[in-house]
Amino acid sequence: MAEEFINNLKKKFELSEKETSLMGKTMRRLTREDRRYYFKYMKPKEKAYKEYLENQYQSLNPDQKSDFIETVVRSLLDKGGDPDISDSIVMGVVGRIPVYNRMREKAEKEGFKLNPLVNFGGMGTVIMLVGGITAIILYLLAK
């Protein structure tokens, strides 16, 4: 499913094979060399990618917009809820909260098992846990 977005970006921006393969990987799966390449060459172009996809998304009618979101959700579910780089770019255009909400609904309905820390976008869960634990510790120290 993510291949659809990757192919659109590949046609428009003439992405190399390395860039195309990196677009299909999650940030967790990138090697050190891949990360270096991504942040040096691809991250600076990410704004242009988002603008292109934003223009494409805004030109769609409401039914096509929901299909666009469903494509992202299906791609996320295929990976257990972890977004690859292209999914992250598309979610930046569409909005992360609607995509994650739809993904959770669909996962519950179809019985998909999501990877841990996906329900709140991964890092949000970690931040909430650290904040909660810190609050408890500070409360106990204050007494």
Side-chain angles (χ1 to χ4, degrees):
M1 295 295 173
E3 292 84 26
E4 185 178 324
F5 301 118
I6 294 170
N7 288 333
N8 283 345
L9 292 172
K10 184 177 182 177
K11 288 176 191 174
K12 174 70 176 171
F13 295 99
E14 299 174 1
L15 300 177
S16 68
E17 284 301 316
K18 181 166 181 106
E19 292 171 335
T20 304
S21 70
L22 288 179
M23 283 285 210
K25 291 184 178 181
T26 63
M27 288 302 277
R28 292 180 191 177
R29 288 186 29 217
L30 294 180
T31 64
R32 185 176 189 172
E33 183 180 304
D34 291 342
R35 285 179 194 274
R36 186 173 291 133
Y37 185 88
Y38 171 73
F39 285 106
K40 186 173 185 179
Y41 298 107
M42 294 175 68
K43 188 70 172 172
K45 298 180 204 172
E46 194 171 290
K47 187 175 182 180
Y49 300 155
K50 281 185 180 179
E51 287 175 359
Y52 171 71
L53 290 172
E54 176 86 33
N55 290 337
Q56 195 176 31
Y57 180 71
Q58 293 302 327
S59 67
L60 301 174
N61 65 38
D63 290 336
Q64 291 172 323
K65 284 182 180 182
S66 65
D67 290 342
F68 198 84
I69 292 172
E70 287 299 317
T71 303
V72 177
V73 168
R74 176 60 49 201
S75 175
L76 287 169
L77 289 174
D78 290 344
K79 294 177 205 75
D82 288 330
D84 61 20
I85 294 171
S86 66
D87 291 335
S88 294
I89 293 171
V90 174
M91 288 182 354
V93 169
V94 175
R96 293 185 184 283
I97 293 174
V99 172
Y100 276 117
N101 286 340
R102 181 69 183 127
M103 180 185 64
R104 283 199 336 240
E105 288 173 10
K106 198 163 188 139
E108 288 175 13
K109 184 178 175 183
E110 296 179 10
F112 277 100
K113 178 149 175 44
L114 298 176
N115 294 334
L117 300 177
V118 169
N119 290 334
F120 293 103
M123 209 52 179
T125 303
V126 173
I127 292 170
M128 288 174 50
L129 285 172
V130 170
I133 292 169
T134 304
I136 292 169
I137 291 171
L138 290 175
Y139 175 75
L140 293 173
L141 289 175
K143 275 192 158 188

